[in-house]
Amino acid sequence: MDVLAVCLNPALDREFVIDNFSLDKLNVVPNEKNIMTPGGKGVNVAVILSKYGIKTVTVGFLGGHIGNVLLAELRKTSPLISTSFLRISSETRENIAIADTVNHTLTEINSEGPTVSEEDIKNFMKRYEVLVQKVKTVVISGSIPKGVPNSIYGELTKIAKKYHKTVFWEARDEIISESIKIAFPDVLKYDMRRSEKILGKFLSSEQEYIQAAKDFIKQGANLVILSYKTIYDFVATADGVWKFAPNVEINHSYLLGSGDNFVAAMVYAQLNGKCCIDMARYGYAAGVAKASYMGKEPPSLKQIEEYLGNITIERVE
Amino acid sequence: MDVLAVCLNPALDREFVIDNFSLDKLNVVPNEKNIMTPGGKGVNVAVILSKYGIKTVTVGFLGGHIGNVLLAELRKTSPLISTSFLRISSETRENIAIADTVNHTLTEINSEGPTVSEEDIKNFMKRYEVLVQKVKTVVISGSIPKGVPNSIYGELTKIAKKYHKTVFWEARDEIISESIKIAFPDVLKYDMRRSEKILGKFLSSEQEYIQAAKDFIKQGANLVILSYKTIYDFVATADGVWKFAPNVEINHSYLLGSGDNFVAAMVYAQLNGKCCIDMARYGYAAGVAKASYMGKEPPSLKQIEEYLGNITIERVE
């Protein structure tokens, strides 16, 4: 096994295409426009890595009917993905997206998601500590269910560090803020899709982003990626700070999932001997490549290599 | 086993309560307002009968993830329900109803439902013929999936009649019209919720309803129930025709499921030695009782007995 993918709050992603979707009416979804896929950021990373030939074991909390469907769909995806989810009593998240291609609306219906007990967390930590010893790299990505403290990324990283594993995070500010009090990951990527806050503050100037990235490095991260105005990134290592920009037009509506592609490509690069800024270049190229077309399918390794030439990296510190 | 409940096209019924449900937005369903129940008319009848202490075996076509969820939920409902669904490769129906209690809308999203192959139908008929010999009564109720001919109610009834079983139908006109060419059930109840047609024609006068009911009796049914203006019924036996009316105010929004309660109560009455018009009285009382409150829960036997005094039966022929 190469990678342990931690997805604490997986989701069953459902997509219905219903043209002229209307309130207070009976709407019918054609069978071919009724799609279920396993989701949650950690799961997405495992799925993308499987396309690059990398074996992962995916862990997290899973429960109920929706959990069963997610597991069956995930197992169908690739023989390179194995799973060791802890079973919980409440229902896994279900995210329904209803796309109307006539009126250009996207109506989403998300379930609240499960609540995890202290007992569940204890059992999960035990299982995690057994599995973490078997892999090279740990990726922890995405939201956490109710009942789980925001500091869990830190706790998981502390255990991984006991066994000298490389750890990647992609998460929102609340999780990062609490978790870095316990341990720093090697690679820290901010998920800023819903909030632009960093350590509880809205940053505005490029200088503030650069300073924040440097601070994370000073405190213990080896590579920090802060997205800036959606399509740019500030990337910091112990050697300096760079601003990444695309050389190509980015269609914002194609950005879906590009964060997961960024992380998966960095993990691929790391497992193939790349380090530091070169890892980030590979990840950024994957994100830009992904944004060049519609759909969830990750870019191929060949496409990522091509897109390495479509990005500009400017040293800013 | 007392009853074989045939539900050819079962459905997983899902109800979300989302206040201020909006298009083109992210809507969240609270966990306690996110309900899944086994559905389809034949399944509903089996569930109601289980509340009256009657054992059923439920059969039909079931497939995919939704089929698995439905089966797990149905098995949880009552130990009196056993299942022997034929597994098919396509997904069972899923009916999502989104109730907004602020704006008073009900938005429905139904899947198209599965397609059944000829091979599946053959295998189903074999299984049905084995099971039908073990019961006293057969109830066939509800829609049929794609690939299944409208005449299947007739084919199933012909087999049941070989073993001298009592057969109940509740179905729409397309099914009844085609199926009575093959065999007549003992009890024929029209489902007129979506179309008021009888044998392809819209009837209007009471006299036309009475004539239609008499014709079905002449051709082979023992008891015929034709609903009239939603809350009334014309009921025919070999002895005559009656018009059933409620003595109480009917709240139309509470009528949901009253047809299934009508059928289940008739089956209960038959198994308890009632015949003909007395069976229909019991069924009608159950339907009226059900319409006196909100929710899916069937009326108790005690409530049905009480409502026998809340209906008026007038001989019209």
Side-chain angles (χ1 to χ4, degrees):
Chain A
M1 211 61 62
D2 303 307
V3 174
L4 180 62
V6 181
C7 189
L8 297 166
N9 199 14
L12 182 68
D13 287 336
R14 305 192 60 180
E15 198 188 324
F16 302 157
V17 179
I18 306 177
D19 287 339
N20 294 310
F21 178 61
S22 311
L23 291 181
D24 213 20
K25 285 270 162 59
L26 172 62
N27 301 274
V28 176
V29 200
N31 284 338
E32 70 281 10
K33 308 252 164 120
N34 184 339
I35 294 163
M36 296 187 192
T37 44
K41 292 179 71 63
V43 163
N44 294 343
V45 170
V47 170
I48 299 164
L49 286 173
S50 75
K51 314 252 168 178
Y52 302 155
I54 292 172
K55 282 188 192 164
T56 62
V57 55
T58 308
V59 298
F61 301 100
L62 203 74
H65 294 309
I66 302 298
N68 290 338
V69 175
L70 191 158
L71 197 62
E73 283 293 319
L74 186 56
R75 285 185 175 152
K76 272 201 317 206
T77 307
S78 167
L80 298 180
I81 298 174
S82 49
T83 57
S84 184
F85 285 98
L86 189 95
R87 283 291 177 156
I88 54 174
S89 57
S90 54
E91 282 282 340
T92 283
R93 286 190 297 156
E94 181 182 30
N95 295 336
I96 300 172
I98 304 150
D100 179 340
T101 66
V102 171
N103 299 311
H104 306 290
T105 60
L106 183 73
T107 306
E108 292 178 274
I109 305 174
N110 289 3
S111 62
E112 264 186 334
T115 300
V116 173
S117 71
E118 280 184 36
E119 190 65 25
D120 291 332
I121 299 175
K122 258 186 220 152
N123 290 332
F124 175 77
M125 297 307 275
K126 277 185 216 153
R127 187 180 297 198
Y128 169 83
E129 181 151 5
V130 172
L131 289 169
V132 81
Q133 301 176 47
K134 302 186 180 169
V135 299
K136 295 179 193 151
T137 300
V138 179
V139 179
I140 317 174
S141 188
S143 69
I144 55 181
K146 267 179 278 183
V148 176
N150 279 326
S151 58
I152 194 165
Y153 275 49
E155 301 290 355
L156 294 169
T157 301
K158 200 165 95 183
I159 295 168
K161 285 295 157 193
K162 209 159 86 182
Y163 303 102
H164 314 290
K165 307 301 177 182
T166 304
V167 179
F168 290 74
W169 290 2
E170 181 169 40
R172 295 210 298 265
D173 190 42
E174 314 88 80
I175 293 172
I176 292 174
S177 300
E178 286 304 309
S179 287
I180 58 172
K181 295 176 186 166
I182 293 160
F184 260 90
D186 297 275
V187 179
L188 172 60
K189 184 174 187 299
Y190 254 79
D191 177 3
M192 293 171 159
R193 288 171 303 162
R194 295 211 184 139
S195 152
E196 300 261 307
K197 278 188 186 167
I198 291 179
L199 298 181
K201 275 187 252 165
F202 285 105
L203 309 186
S204 47
S205 73
E206 299 206 2
Q207 207 45 54
E208 286 177 305
Y209 276 83
I210 293 165
Q211 193 53 50
K214 278 168 68 180
D215 287 347
F216 286 125
I217 295 290
K218 209 182 295 167
Q219 290 176 74
N222 297 325
L223 178 63
V224 173
I225 297 119
L226 303 180
S227 86
Y228 175 68
K229 295 191 174 172
T230 311
I231 61 170
Y232 307 101
D233 278 291
F234 285 103
V235 177
T237 73
D239 297 328
V241 184
W242 291 263
K243 185 180 175 188
F244 284 42
N247 277 351
V248 288
E249 191 87 17
I250 299 287
N251 183 331
H252 281 245
S253 64
Y254 296 171
L255 280 171
L256 183 74
S258 64
D260 300 326
N261 283 283
F262 196 130
V263 173
M266 284 198 293
V267 171
Y268 175 85
Q270 187 244 341
L271 292 172
N272 285 279
K274 290 201 174 65
C275 175
C276 317
I277 191 76
D278 287 334
M279 232 156 70
R281 278 182 66 216
Y282 209 82
Y284 189 77
V288 175
K290 172 62 199 69
S292 69
Y293 55 84
M294 233 175 71
K296 264 190 156 188
E297 194 61 28
S300 67
L301 293 171
K302 195 165 161 281
Q303 282 173 302
I304 299 174
E305 308 273 351
E306 283 167 17
Y307 270 85
L308 284 170
N310 285 332
I311 63 181
T312 301
I313 297 178
E314 174 201 356
R315 184 160 192 145
V316 287
E317 277 255 341
Chain B
M1 212 59 62
D2 303 308
V3 175
L4 180 61
V6 181
C7 188
L8 297 165
N9 198 14
L12 182 67
D13 287 336
R14 303 193 61 181
E15 197 187 324
F16 302 156
V17 179
I18 306 177
D19 287 337
N20 294 309
F21 178 59
S22 311
L23 291 181
D24 213 19
K25 285 271 161 60
L26 171 61
N27 302 273
V28 175
V29 200
N31 285 338
E32 70 280 9
K33 308 252 164 120
N34 183 339
I35 293 162
M36 298 187 190
T37 43
K41 293 177 71 62
V43 163
N44 294 343
V45 170
V47 170
I48 299 164
L49 286 173
S50 75
K51 314 250 170 181
Y52 302 155
I54 292 172
K55 282 188 193 166
T56 61
V57 55
T58 308
V59 299
F61 302 100
L62 204 71
H65 294 308
I66 303 298
N68 290 339
V69 176
L70 192 158
L71 198 61
E73 283 293 319
L74 186 56
R75 284 184 176 154
K76 272 201 317 207
T77 307
S78 168
L80 298 180
I81 298 174
S82 50
T83 57
S84 184
F85 285 97
L86 191 94
R87 282 288 174 160
I88 54 174
S89 56
S90 54
E91 282 282 340
T92 283
R93 286 191 295 156
E94 181 181 30
N95 295 335
I96 299 172
I98 302 150
D100 179 341
T101 66
V102 171
N103 299 309
H104 305 290
T105 60
L106 184 74
T107 306
E108 292 178 274
I109 305 174
N110 289 2
S111 62
E112 263 185 334
T115 300
V116 172
S117 71
E118 281 184 36
E119 190 64 24
D120 291 331
I121 299 175
K122 257 186 223 154
N123 290 332
F124 174 78
M125 297 308 273
K126 276 186 217 151
R127 186 179 297 197
Y128 170 84
E129 182 151 4
V130 173
L131 289 169
V132 81
Q133 299 176 49
K134 301 185 180 171
V135 300
K136 294 178 192 151
T137 301
V138 179
V139 178
I140 317 173
S141 187
S143 70
I144 56 181
K146 266 179 278 182
V148 175
N150 278 327
S151 59
I152 192 166
Y153 274 50
E155 301 290 355
L156 293 169
T157 301
K158 200 166 97 184
I159 295 168
K161 286 293 158 194
K162 211 160 85 182
Y163 303 103
H164 313 293
K165 307 300 175 181
T166 304
V167 179
F168 290 73
W169 290 0
E170 181 170 40
R172 295 210 299 266
D173 190 43
E174 313 87 80
I175 293 172
I176 292 174
S177 299
E178 285 305 308
S179 287
I180 57 173
K181 294 176 185 165
I182 294 160
F184 260 90
D186 296 275
V187 179
L188 172 61
K189 183 172 186 305
Y190 254 77
D191 177 3
M192 293 170 158
R193 288 171 303 163
R194 294 211 185 140
S195 152
E196 300 262 307
K197 278 185 187 169
I198 290 177
L199 299 180
K201 274 187 252 166
F202 286 105
L203 309 186
S204 49
S205 73
E206 299 205 2
Q207 207 45 53
E208 284 176 308
Y209 276 84
I210 293 166
Q211 192 56 49
K214 277 168 70 181
D215 286 349
F216 285 126
I217 295 290
K218 208 183 292 168
Q219 289 175 75
N222 296 326
L223 177 63
V224 174
I225 297 118
L226 303 180
S227 86
Y228 175 68
K229 296 191 173 171
T230 312
I231 61 170
Y232 307 100
D233 279 291
F234 284 103
V235 177
T237 73
D239 298 327
V241 184
W242 290 264
K243 185 179 177 188
F244 283 43
N247 276 353
V248 288
E249 191 86 15
I250 298 286
N251 183 329
H252 281 245
S253 65
Y254 296 171
L255 280 171
L256 182 76
S258 65
D260 300 326
N261 282 284
F262 196 130
V263 172
M266 283 199 292
V267 171
Y268 175 85
Q270 186 243 342
L271 292 172
N272 284 278
K274 291 200 173 67
C275 175
C276 318
I277 192 74
D278 287 332
M279 232 155 71
R281 278 183 66 216
Y282 209 81
Y284 188 77
V288 175
K290 172 62 200 66
S292 69
Y293 55 85
M294 235 176 71
K296 262 190 158 187
E297 194 60 27
S300 67
L301 293 172
K302 193 165 161 279
Q303 282 175 304
I304 300 174
E305 307 273 351
E306 283 166 18
Y307 270 85
L308 283 170
N310 286 331
I311 62 181
T312 301
I313 299 178
E314 175 201 357
R315 185 160 194 145
V316 289
E317 276 256 340

